[in-house]
Amino acid sequence: MRKIVALLEKTNNVKRSSYTWNALNAIISALQNPVILLVMTRTNGVFDAGVFSIAFAIATLMLYVGLYGLRRFQSSDLDEKYSFSEYHGMRILTCSLMIFVSAIYCIYGMIFTSYSMEKALVIFMICIVKVCQAYSDVYHGCMQQKGRLDVATKSSSVRYTFEMAAYVVLLLVTHNLLLSTAAFMVASIIGLLLTSVNAGRNYCTYRPSFNKAKIKGLAIEGFPLFASLFLNMYISNAPKYAIDAFLTEETQAIYNMIFMPAFAVMLIANFIFNPILTTYAELWLAEKREQIGKLKKEIKKQMLVILGLTILGLTIAATIGIPVLAFIFGVSLSEYKAELCVVMLGGGALAYATYFSTVITIIRMQKTLIVCYGIVALAAKLLSRFFVLTYGIMGAASMYAFLMGVLAVMLFVITVYGIRKESLRLKKLSQ
């Protein structure tokens, strides 16, 4: 066990290793869903691929119950307002709630919708995989806070790879969706114990604290961000939920195939700015006008990076995107070129929305996020049925791009307002 920790901590340059492994972790995370979907399509067919796709989407939504939006708060809690034991205790509670909600969702699906027992079990087991991700995240937040993001991202990378390998191997050998998903779940639990929990002993105390006052404080502090991130994921996946409710598993699989490149844009943008969250927090907490100026420059720089990634993604989508996706998944997608381009625009908007929500959290205006995400989530609920039933996959893609665009604009306005307000306050203090 200690040899594994030694390998995870081994580095000649912590900062460089953090950037490198954060990038690799983002890539592996982004590849997990499409690689499994690729193998699933070729071994089990489009129907099972559709079941896996909606299961992964639902589990990812449930993940945000377990995370409760506290990672960014924890990583930027440089003054340690809350101890790791308190974050740990809170995470145990939220992960327990996540398991309960996932079980209720699956039971509801079997009783009130057309979910088969197999589909419900697949959804629940993938939710347990996401529980492992949510629990490991509290250790990773502690590692990042102590300057060892590299150990955290190595741990995640190893676990993601182990999970993916288990799923793919069982699919190739058995062609059994349920058995392969069970292997996915077991691999995730083993990976969690061998990496994140095992390495955590050098940075954190295992004993959680359930102090009522502190738990209440974290619940209040984290709720705005939890609600916004949960609603963000709901908004992102609203077209998938609508397809699940009104269309077929095959349509679900096709939509997820063209959705993959768009989600990759957000993940790549995410790994670029994740390592500099602590730097952003330091600039903000310095309470100096020149530091706020540096923060503005960093934000402008990141906005240009996201724009570049979006343009690159859109160019690839418009040229070789469809042939490449058709080759990868072994499914004819020639009639979905326009849908892919529309989804790519939505992916760029999602990257902006995710980034601005992170900045808003750092400048401690996260309560405004609930309003923005609430408005857009309500729009998603009201529009999804009409768009999907009327226009099919193009309707789902258009709704996604529209919702993400509106959300990105709203969060940008709040970011500008918050930083401008602080800049003016510091200007008055200096006079």
Side-chain angles (χ1 to χ4, degrees), residues 227-362:
S228 61
L229 288 172
F230 184 85
L231 291 171
N232 179 44
M233 188 51 60
Y234 170 77
I235 295 162
S236 300
N237 287 330
K240 298 180 185 180
Y241 305 141
I243 291 171
D244 185 49
F246 306 116
L247 302 180
T248 65
E249 304 292 359
E250 290 80 3
T251 305
Q252 184 74 257
I254 290 171
Y255 178 78
N256 275 270
M257 289 171 196
I258 66 171
F259 182 78
M260 292 297 176
F263 190 62
V265 170
M266 191 277 286
L267 286 174
I268 294 169
N270 209 23
F271 90 69
I272 292 173
F273 70 74
N274 257 351
I276 56 177
L277 290 182
T278 303
T279 302
Y280 278 30
E282 289 170 348
L283 290 173
W284 180 256
L285 292 173
E287 293 202 344
K288 295 179 180 178
R289 286 193 69 202
E290 57 269 27
Q291 299 297 76
I292 297 297
K294 289 181 181 179
L295 180 60
K296 288 180 182 178
K297 289 180 181 178
E298 289 294 330
I299 291 171
K300 289 177 182 177
K301 188 189 301 182
Q302 185 61 35
M303 287 176 67
L304 288 174
V305 169
I306 295 173
L307 178 62
L309 287 171
T310 304
I311 293 172
L312 177 62
L314 191 59
T315 302
I316 293 172
T319 52
I320 61 172
I322 289 298
V324 169
L325 288 174
F327 173 77
I328 290 172
F329 292 108
V331 176
S332 177
L333 299 169
S334 57
E335 60 186 290
Y336 300 110
K337 182 177 180 179
E339 286 86 340
L340 176 60
C341 292
V342 172
V343 166
M344 287 302 298
L345 287 173
L350 174 60
Y352 276 115
T354 304
Y355 176 66
F356 292 137
S357 71
T358 302
V359 176
I360 288 168
T361 303
I362 290 171

Side-chain angles (χ1 to χ4, degrees), residues 26-57:
I27 292 168
I28 295 169
S29 176
L31 285 175
Q32 191 179 62
N33 192 3
V35 167
I36 294 172
L37 190 62
L38 181 160
V39 177
M40 185 82 69
T41 304
R42 291 179 177 273
T43 57
N44 289 33
V46 180
F47 183 89
D48 276 2
V51 173
F52 171 78
S53 295
I54 191 60
F56 204 88

